[in-house]
Amino acid sequence: MKQVLVLNCGSSSIKYELFEMDQGRALEAGLVERIGEAKSCLKQTSSGSGTNWPSRTTEVSVPDHRHGIDMIRRVLSENASFDGGRHLVGIGHRAVHGGETFSRPTLIDDQVLAAIRDLIPLAPLHNPANLVGMEVARAAFPHVPQVAVFDTAYHQTLPRYAYHYAVPQDWYDSYRVRRYGFHGTSHQYVAKQIARHLGRSADELNTIVLHLGNGCSASAIRGGVSVDTSMGLTPLEGLMMGTRCGDLDPAILVHMGKQAGMSLSQLDTALNKQSGLKGLCGVNDMREVMAMAAGGDGAANLAVEIFVYRIKKYIGAYHAVLGRLDAIAFTAGIGQHSPEIRARSCRELEAMGIAIDPARNTAATGSETSEIQTVDSRVKVLVVATDEELEIAQQTLTCVRDAQ
Ligand code: ADP
């Protein structure tokens, strides 16, 4: 039996998931939260199936990431199948920003850590936390190969005209300003699932993937290769999100700086944390926003209208980018679970060959891949359950094997 542990280290949390790789089955998952705060907590879910696992929350003391990873190791040791880590063939780390340096999963060594450190200016919040996780996990599991799987890597295939911004060339040359794109692991996983479901090879399919969670992004995938994506230098660009604004006239920043006296860091906070659904109606959780809209709240209703309108614009744009479109996939929390958002995003697109069947749309639960287009729809419309952790585990295993 081969096992892979996936770690996702944030600044104050560590998510973990242990996989048995013969069948790609999760054995154990959990989250250490509020690291470094007075009351940290450990949430555990153990073997079962998917999101319905029984879960347990314990208050614990976790002063730093080293203690967090030690705790995860102890928790895993309680699972008989872990067997002291005897079957662990690799640890996969979610890494947020790989810049132009990393276009594939990479075995972690001192040089790789230095390169990820060099990319900190591009992801000042995420890369330092990812690095701490990698360093601590290397010390805790010194004999297990560790692999970095980058959120940006899948989009490194964008053509220059798609990733270049029309700004002074020196911004790219000296400051690495370009579109990188994020959620790459999810887009890649979903593109593969679409191909598997349709019984086709990924390299013969043109697809649009709509990842709609707290963060939202769209990608245009030609023959399995990402050719455009909506997030940019940072995850702020593109679709409207829970708390992020998405596409924006950049002169708004200058205007608000001059007129409202906002500083750069105030603007940064406003656009990342106080915009999107939250900025418009005070709430960032789509379920609540939709309930408010259904109850007659005008602000919530407008928020949902903008949300679906922007998705529709990206469908149109990426259809044009791809020329021939075979499939559109909805994924992540909102994409998998909201028939209404799916229906409204694709409304009146029949002329483009896209039509959703209301009964199939309502019946799609989001837990497995399903088709929701009408019989006449030229383009397939699918609901796909994304699994970034499983994709990281599989890429980790492949990377470890290739290195042997
Ligand atoms: P993250 O990006 O943090 O991984 P998820 O992919 O879990 O987030 O997506 C979270 C979003 O999905 C939230 O806005 C939540 O309200 C939304 N969501 C979950 N279930 C539903 C549902 N049934 N209808 C509408 N939105 C939903």
Side-chain angles (χ1 to χ4, degrees):
M1 177 169 55
K2 288 189 172 55
Q3 295 179 348
V4 170
L5 175 64
V6 174
L7 293 176
N8 180 353
C9 289
S11 55
S12 65
S13 69
I14 308 172
K15 279 191 202 158
Y16 66 92
E17 193 156 349
L18 179 69
F19 289 91
E20 173 278 297
M21 298 307 293
D22 295 335
Q23 290 164 35
R25 195 165 53 94
L27 300 172
E28 184 91 25
L31 169 68
V32 183
E33 267 183 324
R34 299 203 293 269
I35 295 172
E37 291 181 29
K39 284 183 182 166
S40 316
C41 83
L42 167 71
K43 288 184 185 156
Q44 273 172 272
T45 50
S46 293
S47 340
S49 55
T51 47
N52 297 326
W53 290 5
S55 83
R56 163 158 75 107
T57 302
T58 331
E59 218 169 82
V60 286
S61 162
V62 187
D64 55 30
H65 283 71
R66 188 173 61 75
H67 284 83
I69 286 185
D70 272 350
M71 179 160 297
I72 291 169
R73 194 164 50 167
R74 276 206 305 280
V75 167
L76 292 176
S77 301
E78 287 164 17
N79 184 322
S81 57
F82 187 62
D83 200 6
R86 212 161 52 86
H87 307 290
L88 200 58
V89 295
I91 298 180
H93 293 263
R94 177 176 182 220
V96 169
H97 217 307
E100 290 187 337
T101 316
F102 298 103
S103 56
R104 53 177 54 86
T106 306
L107 216 48
I108 296 171
D109 59 19
D110 291 343
Q111 265 178 318
V112 168
L113 291 179
I116 298 174
R117 200 165 292 120
D118 176 58
L119 293 164
I120 286 176
L122 291 173
L125 295 179
H126 293 105
N127 275 25
N130 297 161
L131 274 167
V132 170
M134 291 171 197
E135 281 162 351
V136 170
R138 279 178 93 199
F141 298 90
H143 304 298
V144 182
Q146 317 237 350
V147 175
V149 179
F150 297 88
D151 245 25
T152 48
Y154 183 57
H155 302 302
Q156 276 297 297
T157 45
L158 261 59
R160 283 183 76 181
Y161 55 79
Y163 73 67
H164 241 285
Y165 291 110
V167 292
Q169 179 62 28
D170 181 53
W171 292 19
Y172 173 73
D173 296 339
S174 302
Y175 301 99
R176 299 183 275 196
V177 170
R178 54 158 284 179
R179 175 182 313 285
Y180 293 97
F182 297 85
H183 289 150
T185 317
S186 173
H187 287 279
Q188 187 170 12
Y189 178 82
V190 171
K192 285 195 283 192
Q193 290 299 110
I194 297 170
R196 184 171 305 158
H197 177 83
L198 298 177
R200 306 266 302 272
S201 160
D203 60 16
E204 60 187 34
L205 286 175
N206 289 353
T207 57
I208 296 174
V209 175
L210 299 161
H211 178 112
L212 311 175
N214 275 315
C216 301
S217 65
S219 65
I221 300 174
R222 178 180 291 128
V225 172
S226 175
V227 293
D228 206 351
T229 191
S230 59
M231 286 178 164
L233 173 79
T234 76
L236 194 54
E237 194 181 350
L239 299 173
M240 173 180 160
M241 314 184 203
T243 63
R244 298 189 200 122
C245 57
D247 291 336
L248 194 74
D249 177 352
I252 292 172
L253 276 79
V254 180
H255 178 79
M256 292 306 288
K258 283 186 181 160
Q259 299 300 316
M262 291 178 78
S263 67
L264 286 178
S265 82
Q266 284 171 327
L267 287 165
D268 189 35
T269 304
L271 297 180
N272 275 294
K273 303 213 163 98
Q274 296 158 357
S275 295
L277 296 172
K278 185 166 189 185
L280 289 167
C281 69
V283 171
N284 69 297
D285 187 294
M286 183 55 101
R287 274 166 300 201
E288 280 182 57
V289 177
M290 291 176 78
M292 284 160 61
D297 184 307
N301 188 47
L302 176 64
V304 178
E305 279 184 321
I306 299 174
F307 188 85
V308 295
Y309 178 66
R310 293 196 171 191
I311 295 171
K312 193 177 193 169
K313 286 214 288 190
Y314 269 92
I315 293 174
Y318 286 174
H319 195 168
V321 165
L322 293 170
R324 190 199 78 233
L325 177 63
D326 299 304
I328 297 176
F330 286 89
T331 193
I334 301 171
Q336 287 169 223
H337 301 297
S338 177
E340 182 179 337
I341 296 290
R342 295 192 294 257
R344 290 173 66 176
S345 305
C346 293
R347 193 171 282 165
E348 291 166 357
L349 295 182
E350 289 81 2
M352 289 167 64
I354 301 163
I356 288 184
D357 178 289
R360 289 173 106 185
N361 185 27
T362 311
T365 61
S367 55
E368 56 193 31
T369 305
S370 39
E371 289 178 42
I372 58 168
Q373 77 280 356
T374 63
V375 281
D376 300 329
S377 179
R378 193 177 42 73
V379 176
K380 307 257 189 226
V381 185
L382 295 101
V383 180
V384 179
T386 193
D387 194 337
E388 289 167 278
E389 284 74 21
L390 176 58
E391 180 65 25
I392 291 173
Q394 284 167 341
Q395 293 192 14
T396 298
L397 185 62
T398 306
C399 180
V400 169
R401 275 194 188 139
D402 289 351
Q404 279 166 356

